[in-house]
Amino acid sequence: LEGYTADQVINVYTPAEELFKPEAIQSFNGVDATDYHPPKNEINASNWKDYHIGYCENVRQEGDYLVGDLLIKDKISIDLIQSNERLEMSLGYGALLIVEQGTAPDGTPYQAKFINFIGNHVALVKYGRCGGDCRIGDKQQTPP
């Protein structure tokens, strides 16, 4: 980013209207689920076998949230979910970064914003940037 140093922290705003564009939502349908983010935050043809633990489908907007159905196939990941070690989620995506000064609706000043999201993966994490609001809600838990 021109005008900023490598160690300088900037706020990046994600407008809801960008995340909830129909094409952005559709881009997350069928993406791989991963245990944490892969290096360079990207799943591609050369690394998907190393990081794929399942996939995400039926992505939709529900209120202020992007929601999807996860099918997790990896036994270790299932055990981590059931032991509460991987309940939060983080989106992996590509987006265009626009450098501009502004103020988010909550009053936070920002120096750049993301637009034109393209989904790449959904990462299961212990602690995500969005906190506990972005988590797995298992509706089909098996009885003890």
Side-chain angles (χ1 to χ4, degrees):
L1 293 171
E2 197 170 311
Y4 295 95
T5 61
D7 61 348
Q8 189 172 357
V9 175
I10 66 166
N11 291 324
V12 179
Y13 173 51
T14 301
E17 63 269 15
E18 287 290 329
L19 185 60
F20 295 131
K21 279 183 177 175
E23 57 269 28
I25 293 171
Q26 181 60 35
S27 75
F28 283 97
N29 272 318
V31 297
D32 292 292
T34 63
D35 183 25
Y36 280 90
H37 291 287
K40 298 185 182 178
N41 203 31
E42 180 184 33
I43 294 290
N44 57 44
S46 67
N47 71 1
W48 78 268
K49 284 184 181 181
D50 296 328
Y51 300 103
H52 173 88
I53 61 168
Y55 61 90
C56 183
E57 64 182 6
N58 191 26
V59 179
R60 62 215 179 263
Q61 180 179 357
E62 289 186 6
D64 292 336
Y65 295 95
L66 195 61
V67 176
D69 300 332
L70 293 176
L71 177 60
I72 305 301
K73 297 181 173 189
D74 177 66
K75 171 78 168 105
I76 293 170
S77 298
I78 292 168
D79 291 344
L80 288 169
I81 292 166
Q82 291 178 337
S83 67
N84 297 328
E85 289 295 313
R86 297 289 190 281
L87 287 184
E88 295 185 10
M89 303 174 67
S90 180
L91 297 177
Y93 54 85
L96 184 59
L97 182 69
I98 304 294
V99 178
E100 70 174 29
Q101 301 287 325
T103 304
D106 69 357
T108 304
Y110 64 84
Q111 295 76 45
K113 71 178 181 180
F114 279 135
I115 64 169
N116 299 339
F117 287 86
I118 299 172
N120 181 267
H121 64 277
V122 175
L124 307 184
V125 296
K126 185 163 178 85
Y127 301 110
R129 279 183 293 172
C130 293
D133 283 353
C134 298
R135 67 185 181 287
I136 294 175
D138 193 354
K139 292 182 181 179
Q140 296 181 1
Q141 291 181 340
T142 54

